[in-house]
Amino acid sequence: MIFSKKKITTEYTVEQCTKCGTITKRKFHQGDILFTEISHCHSCDGLTRIEKIFGETVEQ
Ligand SMILES: [Zn+2]
């Protein structure tokens, strides 16, 4: 019996608000650069900064 597992890597971007510290995890978008301030926080008027970009590998 042959097992064929397919591995899929999904990249994620973690943003953290520089004002209130709220962390948001979302899927990586083309053009995301580490430690850049890109969007506005949902909870306050602060800017969110990209803290981490990582990949998660899932076997299917
Ligand atoms: Zn905030």
Side-chain angles (χ1 to χ4, degrees):
M1 198 170 174
I2 299 163
F3 287 93
S4 70
K5 277 182 180 172
K6 220 173 165 188
K7 283 185 182 178
I8 293 173
T9 303
T10 310
E11 287 186 297
Y12 290 98
T13 300
V14 175
E15 291 177 21
Q16 187 170 25
C17 177
T18 53
K19 209 171 168 185
C20 73
T22 300
I23 293 169
T24 313
K25 181 183 157 187
R26 60 164 173 81
K27 286 208 172 155
F28 175 82
H29 293 298
Q30 206 67 42
D32 283 352
I33 300 162
L34 209 54
F35 306 127
T36 50
E37 289 169 347
I38 44 147
S39 59
H40 286 273
C41 177
H42 309 293
S43 318
C44 70
D45 290 326
L47 278 170
T48 60
R49 190 174 62 183
I50 295 176
E51 289 293 324
K52 204 163 132 186
I53 295 169
F54 66 100
E56 268 180 12
T57 305
V58 180
E59 283 185 3
Q60 285 197 336

